[in-house]
Amino acid sequence: MIAEMLRSSRPLSWINTAYPFAAAWLLGGGEVGVVLLVGVVFFLVPYNLALYGINDVFDHASDLANPRKGGAEGALLTPRLHRPMLLASALVVLPFVLVLVMWGPPVSWMVLGISLLALVAYSAPPLRTKEIPVLDSFTSSLHFVTPAAYGLALVGAELDLVVVCALGAFLLWGMASHAFGAVQDIGPDRAAGISSIATALGARRTVRFALTMWAAAGVLVLGTGWPGALAGLLVLPYLAAALPYRRLNDEEASQAHRGWRHFLWINYAAGAALTILLILAA
């Protein structure tokens, strides 16, 4: 049971939430110590267990019809584990939240609250924003942007133009990634009666929306100044991976999975390059 729950938390994606928090904490002037450790552990495992576990519970109907599910891209959580998963999600998150709230200033409470609200609201009713086109991409992006925003708030960093441009570019990048990822699921989502940005706009327009968001992220990051502006180049591999699908018809939407599979590796390569840039900028 525990092994299946951990698979549901998408271990390959743990770094995508822990890294933004750690990077923001250190760049904001935070020290290597117990606060950083607790925050990293929280955004590494409990956060992802809740994020993806809740999603797997409420997306069970569409996941059954989705050939991508059952592996690294998403677990097929058996119904007997739905209630334990929801309970485990709350129990593993709560102790970390209590500790972090005790350590953080009031503004960090608000940011953490937004992060947790977005985590639940994306999949669970009554909000279930994943079925509200465009808002689904926005909420999904918040899952990765808010850990970074929380790291800055926790350390008491100043909200200046560099921070706004960096977080804004990250938000657009996340929206693009979600939108493009939704294209491959048009068939299973429509079969299950689930709405998304891709089922609403169609494959072609959704891919073009994603391309626009990535390009906008690359432009916005220029506002961070030198050498951070070089991070704008990191959108190029994403554009290259998605560009061949810009004329995709809805009937061919599943073909976008070939492009999506590249994203796991692009993310790691882009993360390594971004780390080098952050070190240079520090």
Side-chain angles (χ1 to χ4, degrees), residues 180 207-208 211 214 236-248 259 263:
F180 184 70
V207 172
R208 294 178 180 181
L211 291 169
W214 274 315
L236 295 179
Y238 296 96
L239 293 172
L243 195 62
Y245 304 96
R246 67 191 182 281
R247 295 190 178 94
L248 205 63
F263 279 65

Side-chain angles (χ1 to χ4, degrees), residues 4-11 13-14 45 48-49 52-53 56:
E4 191 170 350
M5 286 183 173
L6 285 176
R7 282 197 298 272
S8 183
S9 70
R10 319 290 200 275
S13 299
W14 286 357
V45 184
N48 283 291
L49 182 69
Y52 294 112
D56 284 346

Side-chain angles (χ1 to χ4, degrees), residues 152-195:
L152 293 171
L154 189 61
V155 79
E158 182 180 349
L159 185 65
D160 56 18
L161 180 62
V162 172
V163 170
V164 170
C165 287
L167 293 180
F170 194 11
L171 181 69
L172 295 178
W173 171 86
M175 291 182 67
S177 298
H178 175 274
F180 184 70
V183 172
Q184 61 195 322
D185 292 333
I186 286 177
D189 282 348
R190 284 180 174 165
I194 292 177
S195 179

